Amino acid sequence: MAIYEIKGGTPLQGEVTISGAKNAAVAILPAAVLVSGKCRVENVPDISDVHILLDILKDIGAEITEEAPGTFVLDCTNITSTQPKPELVCQMRASYYLMGALLSRFGKAHVALPGGCNFASRPIDQHIKGFRALGAKVEETEDYVNLTTDENGLCGRRVSLDVVSVGATVNIILAATLAPGQTVIENAAKEPHIVDLANFLNTMGARISGAGTDTIKVRGVEQLHGGSYAIIPDQIEAGTYLAAVAAAGGNVLVKNVIPKHMECITSKLQEMGVKINDYDDAIRIRSDGRLHGTTVKTSPYPGFPTDMQAQICVCMAVAEGVSRLTENVYETRFFGYCTELQEMGADILINGKTALVTGRESLHGADVSAHDLRAGAALIIAGLAATGTTLLRNVHFVERGYEHIVEKLTALGASISRLEE
Ligand code: UD1
């Protein structure tokens, strides 16, 4: 088991380059199943969720070559199986995108229920509702979802989501891409990775409009063709480095970002007292580590992302005054890291979906564990801002979604090492 040893108290200085977006990559790679021919995908992050997904795709018959670091050529022409290996599928969350992709291309799929970060109950009823609306027959067991179609196959329909769901929006787009007629998704998610998926599919010949708004229209096409596409930079990875500089202090140029995607995060950090300068594809952040408390309420894009809740909580834990942090997407998400932060001296009082965080002058190092991906990232930030040494366990969670995080932080002057126990 690997652990990170972090010696805190050093401000971060220099430049960091943000990798391709995890949540876009894990939608776009399964989307390649729909393409007849070769598609080339650039800016694929080197993270364990991507490795698992590539293994799943290879196992069902995709031919995949790594042309250069982060650039993959996928040829899914000869996929033979619609039953991806359950032992791989259950290692990650986004493997459920294979349901929409395989259903769209083959009219059937037999996919185990996904694994991944279990910081809350994560139902998939809206995905199922979408598949059914398009004409799929869905059988659910405790472990599997079995999707079939009759001789008419899928057909475009109107689907109105009961909750704004990234996963359901992706899965319905995938299922609808090759379904004759027009699918209209109402109350769709608007996250940048939804737009990126639609741009990828449109580059390969799909007809998707409205991505980035709450009404997405998919006009089904007979087949997609090959092409080349580069994944957008990761909004949450960039937000994590910004939060790290805010809490630990320093002066860092965060490169390869789309500043527009970062506004919901940078505006909060500015309220807390950090200096932000936006450039075309970079953001400079300067912080003396002395922050003011603030109020944050998470919500779907363009609101403050739930995936930044834990990282901003660390900033609040070292800010002057009392902050109020309300979680509106996954109510139980606080439990993944607040106890660990309290071990490091944070003053956090959780009342339902709101945490009251009373800032402390500093946190202190402790022996803590990551319970999910973003919780792990937050504990790294806490370790960087704290006095003394922090040992972070369960770092496999962090490595699911952050490319080369130890190397990137080391290049910024942090004292962080990966040790094998
Ligand atoms: C995606 C992101 C995850 C992020 C989350 C919210 C990926 C791979 N993961 O997860 O990092 O934290 O969006 O931004 O992109 N819901 C239902 N029924 C459903 C689906 C969702 O009730 O069928 C609820 C969920 O319980 C949650 C809310 O809808 O309260 C949003 O979930 P959703 O957007 O679907 O999250 P994921 O796609 O799983």
Side-chain angles (χ1 to χ4, degrees):
M1 291 287 267
I3 59 173
Y4 293 166
E5 183 186 71
I6 305 157
K7 294 187 178 131
T10 314
L12 303 174
Q13 306 284 345
E15 297 181 354
V16 61
T17 301
I18 297 307
S19 305
K22 164 189 170 283
N23 287 347
V26 298
I28 285 172
L29 294 173
V33 166
L34 303 180
V35 178
S36 306
K38 288 186 179 174
C39 62
R40 191 163 162 277
V41 188
E42 296 169 28
N43 213 22
V44 178
D46 183 9
I47 54 177
S48 64
D49 266 13
V50 161
H51 302 160
I52 297 166
L53 206 39
L54 292 172
D55 284 347
I56 297 175
L57 290 171
K58 280 185 204 158
D59 187 64
I60 58 174
E63 282 169 33
I64 302 175
T65 48
E66 189 169 7
E67 213 178 66
T71 299
F72 290 85
V73 176
L74 294 95
D75 187 347
C76 294
T77 314
N78 296 322
I79 284 187
T80 45
S81 166
T82 54
Q83 303 191 10
K85 264 201 186 129
E87 56 270 36
L88 292 174
V89 166
C90 70
Q91 287 180 35
M92 63 177 298
R93 186 84 203 149
S95 52
Y96 57 20
Y97 294 149
L98 288 158
M99 294 180 194
L102 291 168
L103 178 68
S104 194
R105 167 134 178 234
F106 297 102
K108 59 179 182 174
H110 185 72
V111 183
L113 287 171
C117 288
N118 286 322
F119 45 71
S121 136
R122 299 178 80 180
I124 59 165
D125 56 296
Q126 297 303 300
H127 307 230
I128 303 291
K129 170 178 163 169
F131 296 146
R132 286 204 168 112
L134 267 59
K137 185 167 169 245
V138 185
E139 289 165 310
E140 289 179 85
T141 70
E142 242 175 57
D143 305 317
Y144 277 92
V145 177
N146 192 44
L147 301 157
T148 49
T149 47
D150 62 18
E151 62 285 359
N152 298 319
L154 298 178
C155 182
R157 288 274 189 278
R158 184 170 290 271
V159 186
S160 183
L161 296 178
D162 303 343
V163 286
V164 179
S165 160
V166 170
T169 304
V170 168
N171 246 334
I172 299 167
I173 291 176
L174 293 172
T177 294
L178 301 180
Q182 177 168 269
T183 297
V184 180
I185 309 169
E186 287 165 348
N187 201 23
K190 300 187 280 242
E191 267 68 4
H193 34 287
I194 301 282
V195 179
D196 210 34
L197 170 70
N199 287 341
F200 165 80
L201 288 168
N202 285 342
T203 304
M204 310 294 151
R207 292 178 61 194
I208 302 166
S209 58
T213 75
D214 56 12
T215 304
I216 298 177
K217 293 183 179 162
V218 185
R219 170 78 58 190
V221 295
E222 239 166 66
Q223 64 170 32
L224 300 184
H225 52 71
S228 196
Y229 191 78
I231 291 174
I232 53 166
D234 197 308
Q235 176 206 28
I236 305 299
E237 188 199 12
T240 300
Y241 284 99
L242 293 173
V245 179
N251 180 343
V252 169
L253 186 67
V254 182
K255 298 192 332 186
N256 189 36
V257 297
I258 300 176
K260 178 84 193 146
H261 293 168
M262 304 306 303
E263 279 169 6
C264 42
I265 300 165
T266 49
S267 61
K268 274 297 154 194
L269 292 174
Q270 279 172 310
E271 272 175 42
M272 297 185 84
V274 306
K275 302 265 181 302
I276 297 278
N277 291 101
D278 282 351
Y279 303 99
D280 285 350
D281 60 356
I283 293 176
R284 178 168 295 284
I285 176 166
R286 280 169 293 151
S287 165
D288 57 11
R290 285 197 299 272
L291 305 172
H292 322 296
T294 190
T295 299
V296 168
K297 296 177 182 178
T298 66
S299 61
Y301 189 83
F304 189 91
T306 174
D307 282 354
M308 281 296 299
Q309 182 224 94
Q311 301 89 315
I312 202 80
C313 186
V314 178
C315 296
M316 291 171 163
V318 294
E320 213 172 83
V322 179
S323 296
R324 182 181 281 267
L325 177 55
T326 302
E327 173 57 49
N328 290 314
V329 183
Y330 289 113
E331 277 189 27
T332 51
R333 206 161 189 173
F334 292 124
F335 298 108
Y337 66 94
C338 284
T339 315
E340 314 290 317
L341 275 187
Q342 284 159 343
E343 291 276 307
M344 299 179 73
D347 183 344
I348 305 172
L349 196 65
I350 300 168
N351 184 4
K353 60 181 195 172
T354 297
L356 277 187
V357 187
T358 305
R360 288 285 169 90
E361 206 147 290
S362 70
L363 302 176
H364 53 78
D367 189 335
V368 291
S369 288
H371 297 298
D372 66 64
L373 169 62
R374 306 304 171 187
L379 293 169
I380 292 174
I381 298 174
L384 295 171
T387 55
T389 301
T390 294
L391 291 180
L392 178 64
R393 299 176 191 277
N394 285 348
V395 299
H396 62 275
F397 279 115
V398 176
E399 294 171 0
R400 286 191 35 220
Y402 287 91
E403 178 176 288
H404 309 156
I405 189 165
V406 170
E407 292 79 355
K408 288 185 184 188
L409 284 170
T410 302
L412 294 176
S415 172
I416 174 168
S417 354
R418 187 181 196 276
L419 313 171
E420 292 291 342
E421 265 198 324

